[in-house]
Amino acid sequence: GNALGRELRNVDEAVLRTEEIDEGAEFGGLHHGAFIDHAQFRLGWFLADHDPDHDADEALHLLGAARSHAQENRDLGRVAACDEKASWVKAATGDYDAAISLSRSAVAVFTSIGDVDAAMVAECNLAGQLISVDRDGEGMSRYRDIIRRAQEIGNDYLYATVSTRLADELAKREDGA
């Protein structure tokens, strides 16, 4: 009883404090729109991760809103991140053409802004999508290239993750042969 009551009071106080915030207020130099954008992005990301089939429309709507806001603010990294996550949703719903197009866009933007790790992660997702539509040669080639680049830059996590994906794909082929 008491612990729950304290938690509810803390929530009520937080809500009251946010209601008192001036609409034009800035936080740490950022307009409150940046916080709304971040919330839309994170919620869209959450929905895409947890149940993209069920919440696809809502996830795409939230990611689209976050992307539009990021584009208005010239935040290319966030634009690419929204595209990459939307590609997951599109792939989960079977729209692989849209998924592949969004993934290619994310790879290009991440590369253009010099975010090598994010570009390789987006490219890994693209490779998986290509394999899903029987473009195995291109997908497997991308996996091998990412593994080589991850090793060159010392990204052990990406190296291990993509090596595992490639090994899984090769095992599937061997089992099917």
Side-chain angles (χ1 to χ4, degrees):
N2 262 348
L4 179 59
R6 277 193 302 273
E7 283 186 46
L8 290 175
R9 273 195 304 281
N10 290 341
V11 169
D12 287 341
E13 289 170 12
V15 169
L16 287 173
R17 281 195 299 273
T18 59
E19 290 172 352
E20 296 169 0
I21 294 172
D22 180 355
E23 286 296 313
E26 293 196 12
F27 303 97
L30 297 173
H31 191 272
H32 73 283
F35 291 101
I36 293 169
D37 165 50
H38 184 71
Q40 289 172 325
F41 175 73
R42 295 302 301 172
L43 183 55
W45 189 278
F46 175 81
L47 293 174
D49 269 349
H50 288 85
D51 193 2
D53 287 327
H54 181 262
D55 296 318
D57 290 339
E58 187 175 1
L60 290 171
H61 171 76
L62 290 165
L63 290 167
R67 185 189 194 283
S68 293
H69 190 266
Q71 199 165 19
E72 288 170 13
N73 290 297
R74 296 184 177 98
D75 183 352
L76 296 178
R78 180 60 58 96
V79 168
C82 289
D83 285 351
E84 179 190 10
K85 202 54 156 179
S87 79
W88 293 15
V89 177
K90 290 293 191 178
T93 60
D95 189 351
Y96 285 101
D97 289 339
I100 289 168
S101 177
L102 287 163
S103 288
R104 287 187 195 281
S105 173
V107 170
V109 172
F110 282 135
T111 300
S112 76
I113 63 173
D115 193 338
V116 175
D117 288 341
M120 286 194 298
V121 169
E123 192 169 357
C124 181
N125 294 325
L126 172 60
Q129 293 162 355
L130 290 165
I131 290 168
S132 293
V133 294
D134 297 324
R135 291 171 61 183
D136 298 356
E138 185 180 354
M140 301 289 266
S141 175
R142 283 184 182 272
Y143 277 153
R144 286 183 177 98
D145 187 52
I146 296 163
I147 291 167
R148 179 189 52 76
R149 289 183 287 151
Q151 188 172 28
E152 285 174 3
I153 65 171
N155 186 328
D156 295 335
Y157 175 78
L158 194 56
Y159 176 83
T161 301
V162 180
S163 294
T164 301
R165 286 189 184 187
L166 178 60
D168 288 345
E169 289 301 326
L170 292 171
K172 285 179 194 175
R173 275 145 192 71
E174 190 173 299
D175 290 344

